[in-house]
Amino acid sequence: MPVNYATPSPEALFPVAGVKLGVAEANIRKAGRKDLTLIEIAPNAAVAGVFTQNSFCAAPVKVCIDHLSRNPDGIRALVINTGNANAGTGEEGLQAALKSCAAAGELLGAPLDAVLPFSTGVVQEPLPIDRLIAGLPTALANLSEDNWFAAAHAIMTTDTVAKAASKKVITAGKTMTVTGISKGAGMIRPNMATMLGFIATDAAISPPLLASLVKEAADQSFNCITVDGDTSTNDSFVIIASGKGALSFVSEEESGWAEAKAAIFAVALELAQAIVRDGEGATKFITVAVEGGVSQEECRKVAYAVAHSPLVKTAFFASDPNLGRILVAIGYAGVDDLAVEGVKVWLEAAGESALVYDRGCRAALYREEDGCRLMREAEITARIHLGRGNAAAKVYTCDLSHDYVSINANYRS
Amino acid sequence: MPVNYATPSPEALFPVAGVKLGVAEANIRKAGRKDLTLIEIAPNAAVAGVFTQNSFCAAPVKVCIDHLSRNPDGIRALVINTGNANAGTGEEGLQAALKSCAAAGELLGAPLDAVLPFSTGVVQEPLPIDRLIAGLPTALANLSEDNWFAAAHAIMTTDTVAKAASKKVITAGKTMTVTGISKGAGMIRPNMATMLGFIATDAAISPPLLASLVKEAADQSFNCITVDGDTSTNDSFVIIASGKGALSFVSEEESGWAEAKAAIFAVALELAQAIVRDGEGATKFITVAVEGGVSQEECRKVAYAVAHSPLVKTAFFASDPNLGRILVAIGYAGVDDLAVEGVKVWLEAAGESALVYDRGCRAALYREEDGCRLMREAEITARIHLGRGNAAAKVYTCDLSHDYVSINANYRS
């Protein structure tokens, strides 16, 4: 069960003009579930993406990067399967990804390099490409701008809820729509982007502007989350600007851009946080907010050390204010010459804030019962001040529970 | 239950002339258990240690480093408590550690800086120093060279078995004895040393030789293990050379040194591996052997990425050959320009070796039933060849089970 998250209703997901979605049962891994999604993009849209930094990046990721560089202005479709990651599959996997592009392109009257493929699921097993291709006509037949809800469900793997977010912005009397979906619950420690995230807007956004937007949006959303520290082979985050709406942006200086950008960032953050709220086995949503660092990089190092510590995560699961474990993680995060006497740690939840550690030892006014009360909340912030600068960083994570072990021990069964 | 490990019998732990051990119930955290150990060292022994790199290093670690540098030739005692780590305890914690040295020194007729203090247990709670000091006379009263077995038990925390190892070496007709004890099961990812490890030998070893020996021994044993990636605040590893035996070494060139060193390394590795075999919730003992790297550093990076991946560890727990997870971890380990087509992965157990991944995809001859059979073994090696050099490194770890979560969720209750 996700922590304070429910999939929005179909009506709450605004259609984006110029972007149609269709889903099908292709029996990729298990029968009787929608596991194939086709997204058709009207001509002249701008599309940009960021992808995993894992050396074993999946075949579809390689194809995406290649197609986006060869055909940046002509992307017409995304093909997304769940159940199989098509990673660690060598030349055969690459050919399978290309075949899926060719087949979708043929159905839509577009060239092979106008299609971007995405896969998620088990690593190092051959993609059943024939079944995928056989499913495409069904997905094509139900293409509709109203299908975001169905697509959010069809890209799930170990997710317990479908993840989607949508916003409308009115600026200078003109309306812009932003809608997105994401998936992911385990193998989540995005480095450039998350498992799968797709956002579409009807605004027109020039390709250079969109390219910098997608990086910045990823850095402030998907690149700030972690479930288990395992950076996936398939992380992909894509923004589509269909250009069918009223607003159009070529540069950062244009009026309305700040609002447009804020709406897109808000959707990205909502989708990224939804992944943590639905983290495998999660019972708590935890924000690690590090401030007072010399650089953002060292703040992120500390935040990730705390967010990845199995001991910190099990303490949150147990609602046990065994907060020394946070100090331990700060201590091995790799910050040079950290003066521990200058470090402060607060526990914050439900509008309350308790100073836990100060001046080299447990804070004088800290009381165990305060820690116990705050640790029982479902949403908790561990705020850490390093006392050595002005940089800050936030990382969102979840606790480590019995269910994480169960889910991953039984993943393929 | 540890994986293929049982505490040696008291008779199998050879006494080391010049080193006496005594234990007591000091009620540090829980009543009715031996939680205090006093080790008395005869005059003129050499003592050297390596300690945690955690910025929040514990008060006793600071005192150890200080006393070893101020009084390198005069260490006469170690005082070890379990139940409380005396870390994150500021000036008060430092004073408590010094008081324990003063009290032990007074009982033994030695100055304060002749005593090294060691603490293990909960972080960021005040050490009950009065109870510790009150327990010292009892420990003093039962000091004996035959007490290694009792001491191995008295330093345990979440350990399920006491850890000890002992060897005799005869070289050029002279006998040397090496006996050691260690503790640790969680918060284990030593960086210089492990939670607590103590080895004594009756050989005389010159201080400079002992200083380099303790570093090298740690690097080849305790610094190659990980349970959960959490580097403790209290890691300490100490070698005592009492000089009461027949052998004496001043330099590396002396005859018998190779054999003496091998015996000490063997005891250190046995003690370090015992910690992994007794890792919190462990059901499997896993060796990650990385070879074919450009440097030992990159091999260690890869080995630790695999050994720390919760997804790899839960797959081992489940005996599920979901071996793509190993690739994923190799891929995000941070090796620059890794050519994945050159990487090979084998699964090895019970004398069998199965090539799993080769030339960019699942190995042609790999069969799922082989993976299943090997994954069911209690001792498994994941062997990884990076295909780019001649360096190698090994890391020892365990799986991630439900019991890890239970143990750490209930640690303080």
Side-chain angles (χ1 to χ4, degrees), chain A residues 336-357:
Chain A
D336 288 339
D337 309 317
L338 179 65
V340 300
E341 297 73 21
V343 173
K344 287 182 168 58
V345 177
W346 292 262
L347 204 60
E348 302 183 333
E352 276 189 80
S353 177
L355 180 62
V356 173
Y357 175 87

Side-chain angles (χ1 to χ4, degrees), chain A residues 71-96:
Chain A
N71 191 14
D73 303 326
I75 300 301
R76 294 292 317 285
L78 316 186
V79 176
I80 310 155
N81 74 272
T82 179
N84 184 303
N86 194 9
T89 46
E91 181 58 28
E92 193 192 335
L94 207 60
Q95 291 306 321

Side-chain angles (χ1 to χ4, degrees), chain B residues 81-357:
Chain B
N81 75 271
T82 179
N84 184 304
N86 195 10
T89 46
E91 181 57 28
E92 193 192 336
L94 207 59
Q95 290 307 322
L98 289 169
K99 276 183 201 165
S100 72
C101 296
E106 198 169 316
L107 290 172
L108 297 168
L112 181 149
D113 65 6
V115 181
L116 303 181
F118 301 86
S119 296
T120 150
V122 182
V123 170
Q124 204 186 289
E125 294 191 1
L127 179 69
I129 181 63
D130 294 342
R131 297 208 291 275
L132 189 156
I133 290 173
L136 283 172
T138 307
L140 184 80
N142 68 52
L143 278 175
S144 157
E145 289 184 353
D146 283 319
N147 248 347
W148 286 96
F149 188 78
H153 283 83
I155 64 172
M156 292 165 67
T157 49
T158 56
D159 308 62
T160 69
V161 285
K163 297 161 185 79
S166 194
K167 297 233 179 299
K168 270 188 197 284
V169 186
I170 303 180
T171 175
K174 293 177 180 168
T175 299
M176 175 180 116
T177 303
V178 185
T179 300
I181 55 176
S182 66
K183 63 105 357 204
M187 200 178 277
I188 296 293
R189 193 287 198 218
N191 181 4
M192 285 317 286
T194 187
M195 193 59 184
L196 294 181
F198 304 99
I199 293 179
T201 174
D202 57 354
I205 302 177
S206 71
L209 195 56
L210 192 65
S212 71
L213 179 77
V214 73
K215 282 201 179 63
E216 210 182 325
D219 279 344
Q220 297 197 18
S221 58
F222 295 107
N223 284 357
C224 299
I225 65 171
T226 183
V227 169
D228 47 18
D230 278 301
T231 301
S232 151
T233 42
N234 292 54
D235 292 343
S236 305
F237 170 50
V238 168
I239 302 184
I240 302 162
S242 75
K244 301 292 176 202
L247 285 162
S248 175
F249 302 101
V250 176
S251 85
E252 301 237 359
E253 282 68 44
E254 272 162 273
S255 89
W257 177 245
E259 292 82 354
K261 198 166 147 175
I264 291 168
F265 280 17
V267 168
L269 187 62
E270 212 172 308
L271 292 174
Q273 291 188 345
I275 288 176
V276 173
R277 293 178 187 283
D278 194 25
E280 287 172 345
T283 74
K284 307 249 167 113
F285 177 83
I286 297 154
T287 302
V288 184
V290 179
E291 49 200 50
V294 167
S295 64
Q296 199 192 29
E297 193 201 339
E298 78 174 25
C299 293
R300 282 174 73 93
K301 255 195 212 172
V302 170
Y304 274 117
V306 173
H308 287 149
S309 161
L311 293 170
V312 170
K313 290 165 94 83
T314 47
F316 276 111
F317 171 56
S319 301
D320 177 11
N322 189 345
L323 301 165
R325 290 178 176 177
I326 293 176
L327 294 190
V328 173
I330 299 169
Y332 66 69
V335 175
D336 288 338
D337 309 319
L338 180 66
V340 299
E341 297 74 19
V343 173
K344 286 182 168 58
V345 177
W346 292 263
L347 205 59
E348 302 183 334
E352 278 190 78
S353 177
L355 180 62
V356 172
Y357 175 87

